[in-house]
Amino acid sequence: MIKPVSCDIFCKVIDNYGDIGVTWRLARQLACEFNIVVRLWVDELNSFARLCPEADATLECQWYCGVEVRLWRENFAAVQAAELVIEAFACKLPEIYPTLMAERKTVWINLEYLSAEDWVEGCHKLPSPRPPLTRYFFFPGFTRKTGGLLIESELLARRDAFLTDAEQQRTFWQSLSLPTPAADTLKISLFAYENAALSDLLDVWAKGQQAVLCLVPEGRILPQVREYFAALKSPPLLAGLGESGYSHGNLQVCVLPFVAQERYDELLWACDVNFVRGEDSCVRAQWAGKPFVWQIYPQHDEVHREKLQAFLALYVAKLSPNAAVAMQCLWQAWNGEAISLAKAWVDFCAVYDELDLNAKKWAQGLSQNNLALNLLDFFQEIGTIHAFEIDEQ
Ligand code: TRH
């Protein structure tokens, strides 16, 4: 494989952690697994520092995991352009940068947001002329005709090692200052935006037959969790957990600190059901191979609903009709549809084993469609076209 020696990735943080989450993950993989010299240009380092806690948000330039992380300032000083340039989510390169690229044989890629919609296959790899350069669209996705998904080479092996090693699991729970939960406790991670259905969900867990341990990473849903427990008459605090533990009926809730990106996977692996949101955590939940519930990033024009449906259609395709409906209903209830969340949860639990098996097969099936490898193949493809065009002239 002809691979680039260097790669510049540009990321503008719009809100939340999705943009930086995806670019930081890709940057690490290109540097660590392919020995590419990677610079990650980020316009806002506070969000980066949440995903990479060793980082210092005040530094112009710093190195982590083999990646040079640079503050992307508005007055961008000229640098040598890299051989591969990734503009994440059409973030618009610095004005001067295309001129710098024109001086080199640079491949310019616009990495797009993830969607399971049909049109993605037709748009993946399309050129968009920017004379004298060409920018190419690169779409992540779930089929062979798309760019695939970000997955580190050892990820599923590491996951399986964790799941079969009680010691690793004990260490994980200890790192959260929690005892290893009893085998019959349902462990749930809850990473979510504000959600009107939250109190119904907590109610159904509290009143259910099975003990539920819900782990909530610090974030946007937390004020609502706190309000829910504040409104209860009985004292909600769990002994020993201070402000970060609550209990009601059969439900215990623990608030977790936001952890480094690599460690978030362990939380997903350790839980039986994962509530995730946005883009990157949704993909990680798929790799975890456990039943999960996705809260899609809401868009003003409601287009996210089609996106959710498109993914659901693919994901439930191999499930029995019962399980497919149960999964659809819970996801729709969690995404604001007028469906009883309590009933949807009970129905979801009733088909848990089938969903669990499906989740494992789904992860295995998708794992061969590796975004970083596809991206490098595409670099080679475009590089060959460039060379051909130069010969022709
Ligand atoms: O933060 P998000 O809501 O990001 C969103 C979406 O990506 C959306 O598509 C985009 O348009 C919008 O931002 C602007 O959800 P996402 O994508 O799951 O990103 C969260 C990142 O945070 C992910 O990389 C996992 C990481 N994470 C940690 O590193 N530690 C943690 O403790 C947790 C809970 C998450």
Side-chain angles (χ1 to χ4, degrees):
M1 176 194 268
I2 304 167
K3 59 182 174 73
V5 170
S6 55
C7 173
D8 271 335
I9 303 179
F10 288 89
C11 170
K12 273 196 182 134
V13 176
I14 308 292
D15 60 2
N16 304 306
Y17 302 105
D19 309 289
I20 184 62
V22 168
T23 49
W24 171 229
R25 191 180 294 293
L26 174 62
R28 284 204 314 273
Q29 194 180 3
L30 293 178
C32 301
E33 291 184 18
F34 301 96
N35 280 322
I36 296 171
V37 177
V38 181
R39 275 187 303 214
L40 173 60
W41 298 89
V42 191
D43 70 337
E44 199 269 281
L45 288 170
N46 288 310
S47 307
F48 170 67
R50 295 299 303 281
L51 305 186
C52 175
E54 317 94 90
D56 179 342
T58 64
L59 292 180
E60 295 274 326
C61 174
Q62 50 201 314
W63 277 263
Y64 299 101
C65 309
V67 176
E68 183 180 348
V69 181
R70 299 281 290 263
L71 176 63
W72 174 3
R73 288 193 175 280
E74 231 166 87
N75 56 342
F76 188 87
V79 289
Q80 186 178 47
E83 288 182 4
L84 171 62
V85 175
I86 298 173
E87 179 185 350
F89 316 119
C91 67
K92 212 159 186 284
L93 296 184
E95 218 177 309
I96 190 181
Y97 201 88
T99 323
L100 306 168
M101 281 198 283
E103 291 164 11
R104 291 194 98 189
K105 267 196 272 165
T106 287
V107 173
W108 179 7
I109 281 170
N110 179 45
L111 177 67
E112 279 291 343
Y113 286 112
L114 173 63
S115 172
E117 289 161 295
D118 288 345
W119 57 264
V120 165
E121 289 187 349
C123 296
H124 178 52
K125 296 187 177 179
L126 276 188
S128 153
R130 293 278 194 281
L133 301 161
T134 304
R135 183 173 79 142
Y136 294 88
F137 290 102
F138 195 91
F139 280 85
F142 300 93
T143 64
R144 293 304 308 186
K145 289 186 185 158
T146 68
L149 298 174
L150 280 173
I151 178 168
E152 297 79 8
S153 67
E154 298 296 317
L155 183 72
L156 297 193
R158 282 197 289 117
R159 177 199 69 183
D160 293 342
F162 180 90
L163 290 174
T164 48
D165 182 350
E167 191 49 44
Q168 273 195 58
Q169 293 174 36
R170 229 186 335 270
T171 310
F172 167 77
W173 292 110
Q174 266 167 11
S175 75
L176 303 178
S177 308
L178 293 173
T180 305
D184 56 357
T185 297
L186 190 69
K187 302 170 291 296
I188 299 174
S189 76
L190 180 63
F191 180 45
Y193 307 118
E194 300 76 7
N195 194 316
L198 180 74
S199 55
D200 288 349
L201 188 65
L202 298 180
D203 276 346
V204 73
W205 290 344
K207 291 177 191 152
Q209 300 289 312
Q210 189 175 11
V212 170
L213 174 64
C214 172
L215 302 156
V216 187
E218 266 173 4
R220 286 174 52 177
I221 193 87
L222 194 52
Q224 265 187 275
V225 172
R226 294 218 156 107
E227 266 169 41
Y228 174 88
F229 285 100
L232 291 173
K233 294 207 177 77
S234 53
L237 295 191
L238 267 179
L241 281 176
E243 278 288 313
S244 58
Y246 302 89
S247 136
H248 175 42
N250 247 343
L251 168 67
Q252 292 198 332
V253 171
C254 293
V255 179
L256 305 181
F258 199 88
V259 292
Q261 199 182 42
E262 299 95 308
R263 290 212 48 223
Y264 178 56
D265 285 320
E266 289 180 3
L267 175 63
L268 299 171
W269 300 341
C271 286
D272 305 301
V273 180
N274 292 302
F275 281 69
V276 286
R277 69 182 209 195
E279 176 170 329
D280 191 53
S281 58
C282 176
V283 172
R284 304 315 279 187
Q286 292 171 57
W287 296 139
K290 301 286 184 79
F292 72 103
V293 184
W294 183 29
Q295 185 180 15
I296 192 165
Y297 182 73
Q299 288 168 270
H300 302 299
D301 43 11
E302 296 285 307
V303 290
H304 62 280
R305 304 228 165 262
E306 279 166 42
K307 218 170 143 177
L308 183 76
Q309 255 339 102
F311 178 72
L312 262 174
L314 278 186
Y315 192 80
V316 305
K318 294 199 172 142
L319 288 173
S320 68
N322 246 1
V325 170
M327 175 122 192
Q328 301 238 23
C329 286
L330 182 60
W331 282 36
Q332 283 163 348
W334 189 238
N335 282 280
E337 303 276 335
I339 291 176
S340 158
L341 191 123
K343 178 175 181 329
W345 174 255
V346 171
D347 293 348
F348 179 86
C349 290
V351 293
Y352 181 88
D353 289 346
E354 186 182 339
L355 296 178
D356 192 42
L357 193 64
N358 184 61
K360 284 175 178 52
K361 288 188 187 154
W362 174 264
Q364 200 54 48
L366 283 188
S367 62
Q368 299 310 311
N369 202 5
N370 179 320
L371 188 143
L373 276 175
N374 293 339
L375 190 69
L376 295 178
D377 279 348
F378 188 52
F379 171 85
Q380 189 166 340
E381 204 178 308
I382 298 304
T384 314
I385 295 171
H386 277 190
F388 179 72
E389 281 168 355
I390 289 164
D391 282 355
E392 289 278 285
Q393 282 160 13

